[in-house]
Amino acid sequence: MSATPAIRDQRLRRWEQHTGGWLIALAMVYLAAYAVPILAPGLPGTWRHTAATVTFAIWALLAVEFVLRLALAGSRWSFLKVRLFDLATLVLPPLRPLRLVTIIFMVVRRNASTLGRVRVRLGTYVAACTALLLFLSSLTILDVERRNPDATITTFGDALWWSITTVTTVGYGDLYPTTTEGRLIAIALMVGGIALAGLVTATLASWFMDRFSELRATEAQTTSEVAVLTEEVRRLRDELHAQRHPGPADGPGTGSADGVPELCACSLSTRPVPSPSRREEDADAVRRPRSPGEPSAEGTAGGSPRT
């Protein structure tokens, strides 16, 4: 049973994540092998042949890797639509060095979710890709132009100046390609410059939108906290007012909450309690026989004789 498109896309993502490091290593070797013969025209023939063999072998490996990714893709037509530039760098020999830029973009795109501080890393990769794009386009335009007798780009300095003016869409016109291969390189450089500018703009816009969202969330949280504090202050103010100004039903001696009248402290008897010695004397007086005309013990214990 064949795998579903979703499963194939998952396999494609795993493949790109696992091969990203190897692709970058191959790209660096390709860059060295491609740049040395151009920057050193007097290089011995053996070294030039070795460099050409290395660049062709790496190009073949990258072509095989592209075919494998195409086979793993869930929708092959959708895969090709978003990777037309990759296909062009493989099919058109003058654009082959630009394959290095597409490799770095692919690695960044696949690993952006696992990088810490994504925007900082993405800005670093964009700067590196811009520098690499300028360097590669300068090498490529110099390689294809300086063989033409009518060429205006004959040194690496001229090639670098032309690349900068072209990628920024300034185009002074003092230097320009005179060959078909050079014009193809110019078109690819213009498209790459527009893509890099769009990526930088999108990154900055995303950063500003996230900042505005954080500010709105902070403002909403502050408003909610202020509302809670205001309600708490209002409740405390009402309680303090009720304590300072009690109502008529809260006066002393008016009764309890359940309707039972409360006793005032002034209604209680203040009669002193007799001491133990006085109580013993009163008990002896009660037991002793009373003579005629002698007051009773009750009157004596009460503190005043009976009349």
Side-chain angles (χ1 to χ4, degrees):
M1 183 178 180
S2 60
T4 61
I7 295 178
R8 290 200 298 267
D9 288 337
Q10 187 177 4
R11 293 175 180 174
L12 174 62
R13 287 191 294 268
R14 288 200 302 265
W15 170 265
E16 291 180 344
Q17 289 176 355
H18 292 160
T19 59
W22 291 101
L23 289 177
I24 290 181
L26 289 175
M28 294 299 102
V29 175
Y30 184 96
L31 177 62
Y34 179 76
V36 170
I38 298 175
L39 297 177
L43 196 68
T46 305
W47 288 102
R48 297 180 67 88
H49 179 72
T50 302
T53 303
V54 171
T55 54
F56 179 80
I58 294 178
W59 171 82
L61 288 176
L62 294 179
V64 172
E65 190 272 340
F66 183 84
V67 173
L68 288 176
R69 287 194 292 133
L70 177 62
L72 291 174
S75 175
R76 294 179 175 84
W77 176 242
S78 300
F79 178 86
L80 289 176
K81 282 195 301 184
V82 297
R83 291 170 176 83
L84 290 178
F85 189 75
D86 295 3
L87 183 61
T89 57
L90 291 174
V91 175
L92 301 176
L95 301 182
R96 288 177 185 175
L98 299 181
R99 174 63 177 157
L100 278 66
V101 180
T102 63
I103 289 174
I104 294 180
F105 270 125
M106 181 189 69
V107 174
V108 172
R109 184 178 65 250
R110 288 304 175 189
N111 295 277
S113 60
T114 60
L115 294 175
R117 302 183 65 181
V118 177
R119 289 187 181 87
V120 176
R121 298 291 185 89
L122 187 59
T124 304
Y125 276 110
V126 168
C129 288
T130 303
L132 181 61
L133 179 64
L134 292 175
F135 182 67
L136 285 174
S137 59
S138 301
L139 290 176
T140 308
I141 197 70
L142 179 62
D143 186 35
V144 300
E145 285 290 316
R146 66 182 174 186
R147 301 188 185 95
N148 188 7
D150 299 329
T152 60
I153 303 174
T154 57
T155 64
F156 182 75
D158 293 340
L160 184 60
W161 171 251
W162 172 84
S163 298
I164 294 174
T165 57
T166 303
V167 78
T168 55
T169 65
V170 175
Y172 285 106
D174 54 344
L175 301 174
Y176 53 90
T178 58
T179 61
T180 303
E181 295 85 351
R183 293 187 179 96
L184 290 175
I185 295 170
I187 294 173
L189 184 58
M190 294 175 191
V191 173
I194 295 173
L196 286 173
L199 181 60
V200 172
T201 303
T203 303
L204 291 176
S206 175
W207 182 80
F208 279 117
M209 291 300 296
D210 287 348
R211 292 293 298 170
F212 290 150
S213 300
E214 292 175 1
L215 290 177
R216 284 195 295 266
T218 303
E219 181 180 0
Q221 182 179 1
T222 303
T223 303
S224 176
E225 292 177 355
V226 169
V228 172
L229 291 176
T230 303
E231 183 64 25
E232 183 69 17
V233 170
R234 184 181 295 110
R235 185 182 63 82
L236 293 175
R237 185 180 58 187
D238 294 342
E239 292 180 359
L240 184 60
H241 184 271
Q243 292 178 2
R244 290 183 176 180
H245 304 282
D250 298 333
T254 56
S256 61
D258 54 357
V260 180
E262 296 180 354
L263 296 178
C264 182
C266 60
S267 63
L268 299 177
S269 175
T270 58
R271 182 179 178 180
V273 179
S275 62
S277 60
R278 182 61 182 270
R279 286 198 298 268
E280 292 179 359
E281 293 177 359
D282 293 339
D284 293 339
V286 172
R287 289 192 298 269
R288 181 170 51 85
R290 185 180 56 171
S291 59
E294 183 180 0
S296 63
E298 289 83 355
T300 304
S304 62
R306 294 183 181 179
T307 57

